Amino acid sequence: MTIIKQTSTPTLWSFLLMLLISSYYASASTVDTLDVPSKVMNKAYKAAVVLPSSYAGSKASYPVLYLLHGASAHFSDWLNQTPDKMTVRNLADQYNMIIVMPEGEIFGWYLDSPFDAASKFETYITKEVIQKIDATYRTVKSNKGRVITGLSMGGHGAMYLSTRHPDLFCAAGTMSGAMDMNWTKFKISADYAKSIKDRFNKLLGTDNPEDEVYTKNSIINMVETIKKNGMPIIIDCGVDDFLIDTNRELHRRLLYANVPHDYTERPGAHTWPYWQNSLPYHVHFFYQILKTNGVTVASK
């Protein structure tokens, strides 16, 4: 009689599977949480930095994507809120780029408030965050290697910062962006409108959307500067998004001014599933420009 004993020793196949899994995680992108204090606001902030898996074993300088969050959010949202939590990390690996997600506060709009001295996020991003990233990591330290995009408030922020600082970025994008700061044009409930009105009043010192501070800071009114800069831009918005009208109007004005741009409307609303679907299109768009600039890092 042959007696077959069962043991706890793993089979060859289970061993190979464990080896494959451990190899995958060992080679996956890594996430740093970096302290980026602000002298201009006298506050301490953090940024999330995704380094592609190739970074550790390379001596190359890497291009950087600055990825901005929306209102009522913080720097870690792009890592924590997408349905697939690996979305940003996988894109960093796929395209061999560093992805930086800085803090913009819940209603900072990535501009320097003329009313609130504690909200100076244009200066923070352009003069403190970028310098800290370039000093900490092996980056392409010129606008040829920097791109920027974001969602909602961050979409407007990406367009705003790139339009006002073409010396810092070579391409920009916006997903579901609030292209006009005139909050009365948003398709939102009365309660939400009141909340936004109060926040804008605190940020800009007035709740009148016809005031100059609104019009001069809204990207929808910067078409001539966008045209002059000649920067490649990508714009998209869901057809059910409450900001679709402001995106269509910016698109219309860009067409009228003969400004080349990539514009797309897709099914979807102001939601994380939409932005998770949108981000890969932006990264691919940026990669083509970075490749033309000769700053991409080849995969091994």
Side-chain angles (χ1 to χ4, degrees), residues 153-175:
M153 178 185 82
H156 186 277
M159 292 295 294
Y160 182 83
L161 294 175
S162 60
T163 299
R164 289 171 57 84
H165 302 275
D167 57 313
L168 295 179
F169 306 99
C170 66
T174 168
M175 294 169 261

Side-chain angles (χ1 to χ4, degrees), residues 148-209:
I148 186 169
T149 191
L151 68 88
S152 195
M153 178 185 82
H156 186 277
M159 292 295 294
Y160 182 83
L161 294 175
S162 60
T163 299
R164 289 171 57 84
H165 302 275
D167 57 313
L168 295 179
F169 306 99
C170 66
T174 168
M175 294 169 261
S176 309
M179 299 290 93
D180 191 340
M181 297 178 75
N182 183 343
W183 50 270
T184 64
K185 297 180 181 179
F186 301 171
K187 294 181 178 179
I188 53 178
S189 68
D191 288 343
Y192 190 23
K194 183 181 185 306
S195 173
I196 288 181
K197 174 181 176 181
D198 293 342
R199 288 182 176 184
F200 269 125
N201 188 48
K202 180 180 179 182
L203 180 70
L204 302 178
T206 174
D207 59 14
N208 179 7

Side-chain angles (χ1 to χ4, degrees), residues 22-187:
S22 61
S23 173
Y24 171 80
Y25 282 106
S27 63
S29 57
T30 58
V31 180
D32 287 350
T33 300
L34 187 68
D35 289 319
V36 189
S38 174
K39 291 182 179 178
V40 69
M41 292 183 284
N42 193 29
K43 291 182 180 179
Y45 287 114
K46 295 183 181 296
V49 182
V50 177
L51 300 174
S53 58
S54 63
Y55 182 86
S58 172
K59 295 183 180 179
S61 295
Y62 281 67
V64 182
L65 162 62
Y66 286 85
L67 183 57
L68 307 183
H69 66 76
S72 301
H74 292 288
F75 74 96
S76 60
D77 266 40
W78 269 108
L79 294 174
N80 297 331
Q81 298 299 325
T82 52
D84 179 358
K85 302 300 184 290
M86 291 295 290
T87 297
V88 176
R89 296 181 61 179
N90 288 341
L91 288 169
D93 270 345
Q94 182 180 351
Y95 291 96
N96 270 340
M97 64 173 61
I98 297 172
I99 301 180
V100 177
M101 291 149 282
E103 181 60 57
E105 271 294 358
I106 61 173
F107 211 74
W109 279 82
Y110 302 97
L111 54 78
D112 286 353
S113 169
F115 186 73
D116 184 0
S119 188
K120 302 288 184 182
F121 284 94
E122 178 181 6
T123 296
Y124 177 61
I125 301 295
T126 61
K127 297 190 179 300
E128 296 180 322
V129 174
I130 290 176
Q131 284 74 0
K132 178 69 172 181
I133 296 299
D134 284 349
T136 306
Y137 302 100
R138 277 182 282 103
T139 63
V140 178
K141 295 174 174 57
S142 76
N143 64 345
K144 289 185 176 182
R146 292 192 206 99
V147 293
I148 186 169
T149 191
L151 68 88
S152 195
M153 178 185 82
H156 186 277
M159 292 295 294
Y160 182 83
L161 294 175
S162 60
T163 299
R164 289 171 57 84
H165 302 275
D167 57 313
L168 295 179
F169 306 99
C170 66
T174 168
M175 294 169 261
S176 309
M179 299 290 93
D180 191 340
M181 297 178 75
N182 183 343
W183 50 270
T184 64
K185 297 180 181 179
F186 301 171
K187 294 181 178 179

